[in-house]
Coordinates of all heavy atoms in Angstrom, one line a residue:
M1 N 93.1 137.7 144.6 CA 94.3 138.5 144.7 C 94.5 138.8 146.2 O 93.6 139.1 146.9 CB 94.2 139.8 143.9 CG 93.9 139.5 142.4 SD 95.3 138.8 141.6 CE 96.0 140.3 140.9
T2 N 95.8 138.8 146.6 CA 96.1 138.9 148.0 C 97.2 140.0 148.3 O 98.2 140.1 147.5 CB 96.6 137.6 148.5 OG1 95.6 136.6 148.3 CG2 97.0 137.6 150.0
H3 N 97.0 140.7 149.4 CA 98.1 141.6 149.9 C 98.8 140.9 151.0 O 98.2 140.2 151.8 CB 97.4 142.9 150.4 CG 98.3 143.8 151.0 ND1 99.2 144.6 150.3 CD2 98.5 144.2 152.3 CE1 99.9 145.3 151.1 NE2 99.5 145.1 152.3
L4 N 100.1 141.0 151.0 CA 101.0 140.3 152.0 C 101.7 141.1 153.0 O 102.3 142.1 152.6 CB 102.0 139.4 151.2 CG 103.0 138.6 152.0 CD1 102.3 137.4 152.7 CD2 104.1 138.1 151.1
T5 N 101.6 140.7 154.2 CA 102.4 141.4 155.3 C 103.1 140.3 156.1 O 102.7 139.2 156.1 CB 101.6 142.3 156.2 OG1 100.6 141.5 156.8 CG2 101.0 143.4 155.4
T6 N 104.2 140.7 156.8 CA 104.9 139.8 157.7 C 105.3 140.6 159.0 O 105.3 141.8 159.0 CB 106.1 139.2 157.1 OG1 106.6 138.2 158.0 CG2 107.2 140.2 156.7
H7 N 105.5 139.9 160.0 CA 106.0 140.5 161.3 C 106.9 139.5 161.9 O 106.6 138.3 162.1 CB 104.8 140.7 162.2 CG 105.1 141.5 163.5 ND1 104.2 141.5 164.5 CD2 106.1 142.2 163.8 CE1 104.7 142.3 165.5 NE2 105.8 142.7 165.1
V8 N 108.2 139.9 162.2 CA 109.2 139.1 162.8 C 109.4 139.5 164.2 O 109.7 140.7 164.5 CB 110.5 139.1 161.9 CG1 111.5 138.2 162.5 CG2 110.2 138.9 160.5
L9 N 109.3 138.5 165.1 CA 109.6 138.8 166.5 C 110.7 137.9 167.0 O 110.8 136.7 166.7 CB 108.3 138.4 167.3 CG 107.1 139.2 167.0 CD1 105.9 138.6 167.7 CD2 107.3 140.7 167.5
D10 N 111.6 138.6 167.7 CA 112.8 137.9 168.3 C 112.4 137.3 169.6 O 112.3 138.0 170.6 CB 114.0 138.9 168.4 CG 115.3 138.2 168.9 OD1 115.2 137.2 169.6 OD2 116.3 138.7 168.5
A11 N 112.1 136.0 169.7 CA 111.6 135.4 170.9 C 112.7 135.3 172.0 O 112.3 135.2 173.2 CB 111.1 134.0 170.6
A12 N 113.9 135.4 171.6 CA 115.0 135.3 172.6 C 115.1 136.6 173.4 O 115.5 136.5 174.6 CB 116.3 135.0 171.9
T13 N 114.8 137.7 172.8 CA 114.8 139.0 173.5 C 113.4 139.5 173.8 O 113.3 140.5 174.6 CB 115.6 140.0 172.7 OG1 114.9 140.2 171.4 CG2 117.0 139.6 172.4
G14 N 112.4 139.0 173.2 CA 111.1 139.5 173.5 C 110.8 140.8 172.8 O 110.0 141.6 173.2
T15 N 111.5 141.1 171.7 CA 111.4 142.3 171.0 C 111.1 142.1 169.5 O 111.4 141.0 169.0 CB 112.7 143.2 171.1 OG1 113.8 142.4 170.6 CG2 112.9 143.5 172.6
P16 N 110.6 143.1 168.8 CA 110.5 143.0 167.3 C 111.9 142.8 166.7 O 112.9 143.4 167.2 CB 109.9 144.3 166.9 CG 109.3 144.9 168.1 CD 110.1 144.4 169.3
A17 N 112.0 142.1 165.6 CA 113.2 141.9 164.9 C 113.4 142.9 163.8 O 112.9 142.6 162.7 CB 113.3 140.4 164.4
A18 N 114.0 144.0 164.1 CA 114.2 145.1 163.1 C 115.4 144.7 162.3 O 116.4 144.2 162.7 CB 114.4 146.4 163.8
G19 N 115.3 145.1 161.0 CA 116.5 144.9 160.1 C 116.6 143.5 159.5 O 117.7 143.2 159.0
V20 N 115.6 142.7 159.5 CA 115.7 141.4 158.9 C 115.4 141.5 157.4 O 114.3 142.0 157.0 CB 114.7 140.4 159.5 CG1 114.7 139.0 158.8 CG2 115.0 140.2 161.0
A21 N 116.3 141.1 156.6 CA 116.1 141.1 155.1 C 115.1 140.0 154.8 O 115.2 138.9 155.3 CB 117.4 140.9 154.4
V22 N 114.1 140.3 153.9 CA 113.1 139.3 153.5 C 112.9 139.4 152.0 O 112.9 140.4 151.4 CB 111.7 139.7 154.1 CG1 110.6 138.7 153.8 CG2 111.8 139.8 155.7
T23 N 112.8 138.2 151.4 CA 112.6 138.1 150.0 C 111.3 137.3 149.7 O 111.1 136.3 150.3 CB 113.8 137.3 149.3 OG1 115.0 138.0 149.6 CG2 113.6 137.2 147.8
L24 N 110.5 137.8 148.8 CA 109.3 137.1 148.4 C 109.5 136.6 147.0 O 110.0 137.3 146.1 CB 108.1 138.1 148.4 CG 106.8 137.5 147.7 CD1 106.2 136.4 148.5 CD2 105.8 138.7 147.6
A25 N 109.3 135.3 146.8 CA 109.4 134.7 145.4 C 108.3 133.7 145.2 O 107.7 133.2 146.1 CB 110.8 133.9 145.4
R26 N 108.1 133.4 143.9 CA 107.3 132.3 143.5 C 108.0 131.0 144.0 O 109.2 131.0 143.9 CB 107.1 132.2 142.0 CG 106.1 133.2 141.5 CD 104.8 132.5 141.1 NE 103.9 133.4 140.5 CZ 102.6 133.2 140.7 NH1 102.1 132.1 141.3 NH2 101.7 134.0 140.2
L27 N 107.3 130.1 144.5 CA 108.0 128.9 145.0 C 108.8 128.2 143.8 O 108.2 127.9 142.8 CB 107.0 127.9 145.6 CG 107.5 126.7 146.4 CD1 108.3 127.3 147.6 CD2 106.4 125.9 146.9
G28 N 110.1 128.1 144.0 CA 110.9 127.5 143.0 C 111.1 128.4 141.8 O 111.6 127.9 140.7
G29 N 110.8 129.7 141.9 CA 110.9 130.6 140.7 C 111.5 131.9 141.0 O 112.3 132.1 141.9
E30 N 111.0 132.9 140.3 CA 111.5 134.2 140.3 C 111.2 135.0 141.6 O 110.2 134.8 142.3 CB 110.9 135.0 139.1 CG 109.4 135.2 139.3 CD 108.7 135.9 138.2 OE1 108.7 137.2 138.2 OE2 108.2 135.2 137.4
T31 N 112.2 135.9 141.9 CA 112.0 136.8 143.0 C 111.0 137.9 142.6 O 111.1 138.4 141.5 CB 113.4 137.4 143.4 OG1 114.2 136.4 143.9 CG2 113.2 138.5 144.5
I32 N 110.1 138.2 143.5 CA 109.0 139.2 143.2 C 109.3 140.5 143.9 O 109.2 141.5 143.4 CB 107.7 138.6 143.7 CG1 107.3 137.4 142.8 CG2 106.6 139.7 143.6 CD1 106.1 136.7 143.3
A33 N 109.8 140.4 145.2 CA 110.1 141.6 145.9 C 111.1 141.3 147.1 O 111.2 140.2 147.5 CB 108.8 142.2 146.5
E34 N 111.7 142.4 147.5 CA 112.7 142.3 148.7 C 112.4 143.5 149.5 O 112.0 144.5 149.1 CB 114.1 142.3 148.2 CG 114.5 141.1 147.3 CD 115.8 141.2 146.7 OE1 116.3 142.3 146.3 OE2 116.5 140.1 146.7
G35 N 112.7 143.3 150.8 CA 112.6 144.4 151.8 C 113.3 144.1 153.1 O 113.9 143.0 153.2
V36 N 113.1 145.0 154.0 CA 113.8 144.8 155.3 C 112.7 145.2 156.4 O 112.0 146.2 156.2 CB 115.0 145.7 155.5 CG1 115.6 145.6 156.9 CG2 116.1 145.3 154.4
T37 N 112.6 144.4 157.5 CA 111.6 144.8 158.5 C 112.0 146.1 159.2 O 113.1 146.5 159.3 CB 111.6 143.7 159.6 OG1 112.9 143.5 160.1 CG2 111.1 142.4 159.0
D38 N 110.9 146.8 159.5 CA 111.1 148.1 160.2 C 111.4 148.0 161.7 O 111.6 146.9 162.2 CB 109.9 149.0 159.9 CG 108.6 148.5 160.5 OD1 108.6 147.6 161.4 OD2 107.5 149.0 160.2
A39 N 111.4 149.1 162.4 CA 111.7 149.1 163.8 C 110.7 148.2 164.6 O 111.1 147.7 165.7 CB 111.7 150.5 164.4
D40 N 109.5 148.0 164.1 CA 108.5 147.2 164.8 C 108.6 145.7 164.3 O 107.7 144.9 164.6 CB 107.1 147.8 164.6 CG 106.1 147.2 165.5 OD1 106.5 146.9 166.7 OD2 104.9 147.1 165.1
G41 N 109.5 145.4 163.4 CA 109.7 144.0 162.9 C 108.7 143.7 161.8 O 108.5 142.6 161.4
R42 N 108.0 144.8 161.2 CA 107.0 144.6 160.2 C 107.4 144.9 158.8 O 108.3 145.8 158.7 CB 105.7 145.4 160.6 CG 105.1 145.0 161.9 CD 103.9 145.8 162.3 NE 103.4 145.5 163.5 CZ 102.5 144.5 163.7 NH1 102.1 143.8 162.7 NH2 102.1 144.2 165.0
L43 N 106.7 144.3 157.8 CA 107.0 144.6 156.5 C 105.8 144.2 155.6 O 105.3 143.1 155.8 CB 108.3 143.8 156.0 CG 108.7 143.9 154.6 CD1 109.2 145.3 154.2 CD2 109.8 142.9 154.3
A44 N 105.4 145.2 154.7 CA 104.4 144.8 153.7 C 105.3 144.6 152.4 O 106.1 145.4 152.1 CB 103.5 146.0 153.5
L45 N 105.1 143.5 151.8 CA 106.0 143.1 150.7 C 105.3 142.6 149.5 O 104.2 142.0 149.5 CB 106.8 141.9 151.3 CG 108.1 141.5 150.5 CD1 109.1 142.6 150.5 CD2 108.7 140.3 151.2
G46 N 105.9 143.0 148.4 CA 105.4 142.5 147.1 C 104.5 143.6 146.4 O 104.4 144.7 146.8
P47 N 103.9 143.2 145.3 CA 103.0 144.1 144.6 C 101.7 144.2 145.5 O 101.6 143.6 146.5 CB 102.7 143.3 143.3 CG 102.9 141.9 143.7 CD 104.0 141.8 144.7
D48 N 100.9 145.2 145.1 CA 99.7 145.4 145.8 C 98.9 144.1 146.0 O 98.2 143.9 147.0 CB 98.8 146.5 145.2 CG 99.4 147.8 145.3 OD1 100.2 148.0 146.3 OD2 99.1 148.7 144.5
R49 N 98.9 143.3 145.0 CA 98.2 142.0 145.0 C 99.0 140.9 144.5 O 99.7 141.0 143.5 CB 96.9 142.1 144.2 CG 95.9 143.2 144.7 CD 95.2 142.7 146.0 NE 94.3 143.7 146.5 CZ 94.2 144.1 147.7 NH1 95.0 143.5 148.6 NH2 93.4 145.0 148.1
L50 N 98.9 139.7 145.1 CA 99.5 138.5 144.6 C 98.4 137.6 144.0 O 97.3 137.4 144.5 CB 100.1 137.7 145.8 CG 101.3 138.3 146.4 CD1 101.7 137.5 147.7 CD2 102.5 138.4 145.5
S51 N 98.7 137.0 142.8 CA 97.8 136.1 142.2 C 97.9 134.8 142.9 O 98.8 134.5 143.6 CB 98.1 136.0 140.7 OG 99.4 135.6 140.5
H52 N 96.9 133.9 142.6 CA 96.9 132.6 143.2 C 98.1 131.8 142.8 O 98.7 132.0 141.8 CB 95.7 131.8 142.7 CG 94.4 132.4 143.1 ND1 93.2 131.7 143.0 CD2 94.0 133.6 143.7 CE1 92.2 132.5 143.5 NE2 92.7 133.6 143.9
G53 N 98.6 131.0 143.8 CA 99.8 130.2 143.5 C 100.6 129.9 144.8 O 100.2 130.3 145.9
D54 N 101.7 129.3 144.6 CA 102.6 129.0 145.7 C 103.8 130.0 145.8 O 104.4 130.3 144.7 CB 103.1 127.6 145.5 CG 102.0 126.5 145.6 OD1 101.0 126.8 146.3 OD2 102.2 125.5 145.0
Y55 N 104.1 130.4 147.0 CA 105.1 131.4 147.2 C 106.0 131.0 148.3 O 105.7 130.1 149.1 CB 104.4 132.8 147.5 CG 103.6 133.4 146.4 CD1 102.3 133.0 146.2 CD2 104.2 134.3 145.5 CE1 101.6 133.6 145.2 CE2 103.5 134.8 144.5 CZ 102.2 134.5 144.3 OH 101.4 135.0 143.3
A56 N 107.1 131.7 148.5 CA 108.0 131.5 149.6 C 108.5 132.9 150.1 O 108.9 133.7 149.3 CB 109.1 130.6 149.2
L57 N 108.5 133.1 151.4 CA 109.2 134.2 152.0 C 110.5 133.6 152.6 O 110.5 132.6 153.3 CB 108.4 134.8 153.2 CG 107.2 135.6 152.8 CD1 106.4 136.0 154.1 CD2 107.7 136.9 152.2
T58 N 111.6 134.2 152.3 CA 112.9 133.8 152.9 C 113.4 135.0 153.7 O 113.6 136.1 153.3 CB 113.9 133.5 151.8 OG1 113.4 132.4 151.0 CG2 115.2 133.0 152.4
F59 N 113.7 134.6 155.0 CA 114.1 135.6 156.0 C 115.6 135.4 156.2 O 116.1 134.3 156.5 CB 113.4 135.4 157.3 CG 111.9 135.6 157.2 CD1 111.1 134.5 156.8 CD2 111.3 136.8 157.5 CE1 109.7 134.6 156.7 CE2 109.9 136.9 157.4 CZ 109.1 135.9 157.0
G60 N 116.4 136.5 156.2 CA 117.8 136.5 156.5 C 118.1 136.4 158.0 O 118.7 137.3 158.5
T61 N 117.8 135.3 158.6 CA 118.0 135.1 160.0 C 119.4 135.1 160.5 O 119.8 135.6 161.5 CB 117.3 133.8 160.5 OG1 117.8 132.7 159.7 CG2 115.8 133.9 160.2
G62 N 120.3 134.5 159.7 CA 121.7 134.4 160.0 C 122.4 135.8 160.1 O 123.1 136.1 161.1
D63 N 122.1 136.6 159.1 CA 122.7 138.0 159.1 C 122.1 138.8 160.3 O 122.8 139.6 160.9 CB 122.3 138.7 157.8 CG 123.2 138.1 156.6 OD1 124.2 137.5 156.9 OD2 122.8 138.4 155.5
Y64 N 120.8 138.6 160.5 CA 120.2 139.3 161.7 C 120.9 139.0 163.0 O 121.3 140.0 163.7 CB 118.7 138.9 161.8 CG 118.1 139.4 163.1 CD1 117.6 140.7 163.2 CD2 117.9 138.5 164.1 CE1 117.1 141.2 164.4 CE2 117.3 139.0 165.3 CZ 116.9 140.3 165.4 OH 116.3 140.7 166.6
F65 N 121.2 137.8 163.3 CA 121.8 137.4 164.5 C 123.3 137.8 164.5 O 123.9 138.2 165.5 CB 121.6 135.9 164.8 CG 120.3 135.6 165.4 CD1 119.4 134.8 164.7 CD2 119.8 136.2 166.6 CE1 118.1 134.6 165.1 CE2 118.6 135.9 167.1 CZ 117.7 135.1 166.4
R66 N 124.0 137.6 163.3 CA 125.4 137.9 163.2 C 125.7 139.4 163.5 O 126.6 139.7 164.2 CB 125.9 137.5 161.8 CG 127.3 137.3 161.6 CD 127.8 136.7 160.3 NE 126.8 136.5 159.2 CZ 126.1 135.4 159.0 NH1 126.2 134.4 159.8 NH2 125.2 135.3 158.0
L67 N 124.8 140.2 163.0 CA 125.0 141.7 163.3 C 124.8 142.0 164.8 O 125.3 143.1 165.2 CB 124.0 142.5 162.5 CG 124.2 142.6 161.0 CD1 123.1 143.2 160.2 CD2 125.5 143.3 160.7
R68 N 124.2 141.1 165.5 CA 124.0 141.3 167.0 C 125.0 140.6 167.8 O 124.9 140.5 169.0 CB 122.6 141.0 167.3 CG 121.6 142.0 166.9 CD 120.2 141.5 166.6 NE 119.4 142.6 166.0 CZ 119.5 143.0 164.8 NH1 120.3 142.5 163.9 NH2 118.7 144.0 164.4
G69 N 125.9 139.9 167.1 CA 127.0 139.1 167.8 C 126.5 137.9 168.5 O 127.0 137.4 169.4
V70 N 125.4 137.3 167.9 CA 124.7 136.1 168.5 C 124.9 134.9 167.5 O 124.6 135.0 166.3 CB 123.2 136.4 168.7 CG1 122.5 135.1 169.2 CG2 123.0 137.5 169.6
A71 N 125.5 133.8 168.0 CA 125.6 132.6 167.2 C 124.2 132.1 166.9 O 123.3 132.1 167.8 CB 126.4 131.6 167.9
S72 N 124.0 131.6 165.7 CA 122.7 131.0 165.3 C 122.9 129.8 164.4 O 124.0 129.6 163.9 CB 121.8 132.0 164.6 OG 122.4 132.4 163.4
F73 N 121.8 129.0 164.3 CA 121.9 127.8 163.6 C 121.4 127.9 162.1 O 121.9 127.3 161.2 CB 121.1 126.7 164.3 CG 121.1 125.4 163.7 CD1 122.2 124.6 163.6 CD2 120.0 124.8 163.1 CE1 122.3 123.3 163.0 CE2 120.0 123.6 162.5 CZ 121.1 122.8 162.5
H74 N 120.3 128.6 161.9 CA 119.7 128.7 160.6 C 120.2 130.0 159.9 O 119.9 131.1 160.3 CB 118.2 128.8 160.7 CG 117.6 127.6 161.3 ND1 117.4 126.4 160.7 CD2 117.1 127.4 162.6 CE1 116.9 125.5 161.5 NE2 116.7 126.1 162.6
P75 N 120.9 129.9 158.7 CA 121.3 131.1 158.0 C 120.1 131.8 157.4 O 120.1 133.0 157.2 CB 122.2 130.6 156.9 CG 121.9 129.1 156.8 CD 121.3 128.7 158.1
V76 N 119.0 131.0 157.0 CA 117.8 131.6 156.5 C 116.6 130.8 157.0 O 116.8 129.6 157.4 CB 117.7 131.6 155.0 CG1 118.8 132.5 154.4 CG2 117.8 130.2 154.4
A77 N 115.5 131.4 157.1 CA 114.2 130.6 157.4 C 113.3 130.9 156.2 O 113.0 132.0 155.8 CB 113.6 131.1 158.6
T78 N 112.9 129.8 155.5 CA 112.0 129.9 154.4 C 110.7 129.4 154.7 O 110.5 128.2 155.2 CB 112.6 129.2 153.1 OG1 113.9 129.8 152.8 CG2 111.7 129.3 151.9
V79 N 109.6 130.2 154.5 CA 108.3 129.8 154.8 C 107.5 129.7 153.4 O 107.4 130.8 152.8 CB 107.6 130.8 155.7 CG1 106.1 130.4 156.0 CG2 108.4 130.9 157.0
A80 N 107.1 128.6 153.1 CA 106.3 128.4 151.8 C 104.8 128.4 152.2 O 104.4 128.0 153.2 CB 106.7 127.1 151.2
F81 N 104.0 129.0 151.3 CA 102.6 129.1 151.5 C 101.8 129.2 150.2 O 102.4 129.5 149.2 CB 102.3 130.3 152.4 CG 102.8 131.6 151.8 CD1 102.0 132.4 151.1 CD2 104.1 132.0 152.0 CE1 102.4 133.6 150.5 CE2 104.6 133.2 151.5 CZ 103.7 134.0 150.8
T82 N 100.5 129.0 150.2 CA 99.7 129.1 149.0 C 98.7 130.2 149.1 O 98.1 130.4 150.2 CB 98.9 127.7 148.9 OG1 99.8 126.7 148.8 CG2 98.0 127.8 147.7
V83 N 98.6 131.0 148.1 CA 97.7 132.1 148.0 C 96.5 131.5 147.2 O 96.7 131.0 146.1 CB 98.3 133.3 147.3 CG1 97.2 134.3 147.0 CG2 99.4 133.9 148.1
S84 N 95.3 131.6 147.8 CA 94.1 131.0 147.1 C 92.9 131.9 147.2 O 91.8 131.4 147.5 CB 93.9 129.6 147.7 OG 93.6 129.7 149.1
G85 N 93.1 133.2 147.1 CA 91.9 134.1 147.1 C 91.7 135.0 148.3 O 90.8 135.8 148.3
E86 N 92.6 134.9 149.3 CA 92.5 135.8 150.5 C 92.7 137.2 150.1 O 93.5 137.5 149.2 CB 93.5 135.4 151.5 CG 93.4 134.0 152.0 CD 94.2 133.0 151.1 OE1 94.7 133.4 150.1 OE2 94.3 131.8 151.5
G87 N 92.0 138.2 150.7 CA 92.2 139.6 150.5 C 93.5 140.1 151.1 O 94.2 141.0 150.6
H88 N 93.9 139.5 152.3 CA 95.1 139.9 153.0 C 95.7 138.6 153.6 O 94.9 137.8 154.2 CB 94.8 140.9 154.1 CG 95.9 141.3 154.9 ND1 96.0 140.9 156.2 CD2 97.1 141.9 154.6 CE1 97.2 141.3 156.7 NE2 97.9 141.9 155.8
L89 N 97.0 138.5 153.5 CA 97.6 137.3 154.1 C 98.8 137.8 155.0 O 99.6 138.6 154.5 CB 98.2 136.4 153.0 CG 98.7 135.1 153.4 CD1 97.7 134.2 154.1 CD2 99.2 134.3 152.2
H90 N 98.8 137.4 156.2 CA 99.8 137.8 157.2 C 100.6 136.6 157.6 O 100.0 135.6 158.0 CB 99.2 138.5 158.4 CG 100.1 139.0 159.4 ND1 101.0 140.1 159.1 CD2 100.4 138.7 160.6 CE1 101.7 140.3 160.1 NE2 101.4 139.5 161.1
V91 N 101.9 136.6 157.4 CA 102.8 135.5 157.7 C 103.8 135.9 158.7 O 104.9 136.5 158.4 CB 103.5 135.0 156.4 CG1 104.4 133.8 156.7 CG2 102.6 134.7 155.3
P92 N 103.5 135.7 160.0 CA 104.5 136.0 161.1 C 105.6 135.0 161.2 O 105.4 133.8 160.9 CB 103.6 136.0 162.3 CG 102.2 135.8 161.9 CD 102.3 135.2 160.5
L93 N 106.7 135.5 161.8 CA 107.8 134.6 162.1 C 108.3 134.8 163.5 O 108.6 136.0 163.9 CB 109.0 134.8 161.1 CG 110.2 133.8 161.3 CD1 109.8 132.4 160.8 CD2 111.4 134.4 160.5
L94 N 108.3 133.8 164.3 CA 108.8 133.9 165.7 C 110.2 133.3 165.6 O 110.4 132.1 165.2 CB 108.0 133.1 166.7 CG 106.5 133.5 166.7 CD1 105.7 132.6 167.6 CD2 106.4 134.9 167.2
L95 N 111.2 134.0 166.0 CA 112.6 133.7 165.7 C 113.4 133.6 167.0 O 113.3 134.4 167.9 CB 113.1 134.8 164.9 CG 114.5 134.8 164.3 CD1 114.8 133.6 163.5 CD2 114.8 136.1 163.5
S96 N 114.3 132.6 167.1 CA 115.3 132.6 168.1 C 116.6 132.1 167.4 O 116.6 131.7 166.3 CB 114.9 131.6 169.3 OG 115.1 130.3 168.9
P97 N 117.8 132.1 168.1 CA 119.0 131.7 167.4 C 119.0 130.3 166.9 O 119.8 130.0 166.0 CB 120.1 131.9 168.5 CG 119.5 133.0 169.4 CD 118.0 132.7 169.4
F98 N 118.2 129.4 167.5 CA 118.3 128.0 167.2 C 117.0 127.4 166.7 O 116.9 126.2 166.6 CB 118.9 127.2 168.3 CG 120.3 127.7 168.7 CD1 120.5 128.5 169.8 CD2 121.3 127.5 167.8 CE1 121.7 129.0 170.1 CE2 122.6 128.0 168.1 CZ 122.8 128.8 169.2
A99 N 115.9 128.2 166.6 CA 114.6 127.7 166.2 C 113.8 128.9 165.6 O 114.1 130.0 165.8 CB 113.9 127.1 167.3
Y100 N 112.8 128.5 164.8 CA 111.8 129.5 164.4 C 110.5 128.7 164.2 O 110.4 127.5 164.0 CB 112.2 130.2 163.1 CG 112.4 129.3 161.9 CD1 111.3 129.1 161.0 CD2 113.6 128.7 161.6 CE1 111.4 128.3 159.9 CE2 113.7 127.9 160.4 CZ 112.6 127.7 159.6 OH 112.7 126.9 158.5
S101 N 109.4 129.5 164.3 CA 108.1 129.0 164.0 C 107.3 130.0 163.3 O 107.6 131.2 163.3 CB 107.4 128.5 165.3 OG 107.1 129.6 166.1
T102 N 106.2 129.6 162.6 CA 105.4 130.5 161.9 C 103.9 130.0 162.0 O 103.7 128.8 162.4 CB 105.8 130.6 160.4 OG1 105.1 131.6 159.8 CG2 105.7 129.3 159.7
Y103 N 103.0 130.8 161.5 CA 101.6 130.4 161.5 C 100.9 131.4 160.5 O 101.5 132.4 160.1 CB 101.0 130.4 162.9 CG 101.1 131.8 163.6 CD1 100.1 132.7 163.5 CD2 102.2 132.1 164.3 CE1 100.2 134.0 164.1 CE2 102.4 133.3 165.0 CZ 101.4 134.2 164.8 OH 101.5 135.4 165.5
R104 N 99.7 131.0 160.2 CA 98.9 132.0 159.4 C 98.3 133.0 160.3 O 97.4 132.7 161.1 CB 97.9 131.2 158.6 CG 97.1 132.2 157.7 CD 96.1 131.5 156.9 NE 95.3 132.6 156.2 CZ 94.3 132.4 155.4 NH1 94.0 131.2 155.1 NH2 93.7 133.4 154.9
G105 N 98.7 134.2 160.1 CA 98.2 135.3 161.0 C 97.0 135.9 160.4 O 96.5 135.5 159.3
S106 N 96.5 136.9 161.1 CA 95.3 137.6 160.6 C 95.6 139.1 160.5 O 96.5 139.6 161.0 CB 94.1 137.3 161.5 OG 94.4 137.7 162.8

């Protein structure tokens, strides 16, 4: 069982990305939880524990940039990942108007 957190950083401004809507879902399936990043760009999402399986985090990147008057390319960024027994899983997103990247954080 796994606890999930995320951290979104706006690489274009060098600041945390506050106010990004995030949805957690089973990959290809039901929505489990939704939330919005805090002032530090962070969010703990979902139930206290996720069971093993494939999931996706979808970040509302287009709305985030639109609210700031910035043109962007990706309306959403979806990061798929597998939960396989970790106690804590951290999925960061580095964001700019025309690109994003992610990695398995700690």
Side-chain angles (χ1 to χ4, degrees):
M1 302 291 263
T2 299
H3 176 71
L4 177 70
T5 58
T6 188
H7 189 195
V8 183
L9 297 169
D10 186 330
T13 62
T15 60
V20 176
V22 183
T23 301
L24 171 66
R26 284 251 182 212
L27 194 58
E30 67 183 274
T31 296
I32 296 170
E34 298 175 318
V36 177
T37 57
D38 65 13
D40 195 34
R42 295 179 183 275
L43 177 64
L45 195 62
D48 288 338
R49 298 284 180 226
L50 292 173
S51 58
H52 293 193
D54 297 330
Y55 295 86
L57 283 173
T58 300
F59 299 85
T61 55
D63 288 343
Y64 169 78
F65 285 115
R66 200 169 8 267
L67 288 171
R68 285 151 185 77
V70 176
S72 65
F73 183 69
H74 299 283
V76 298
T78 299
V79 178
F81 57 94
T82 300
V83 172
S84 60
E86 302 85 353
H88 176 249
L89 189 60
H90 185 65
V91 182
L93 184 72
L94 303 174
L95 182 60
S96 77
F98 302 104
Y100 64 90
S101 65
T102 187
Y103 56 94
R104 182 179 173 177
S106 58

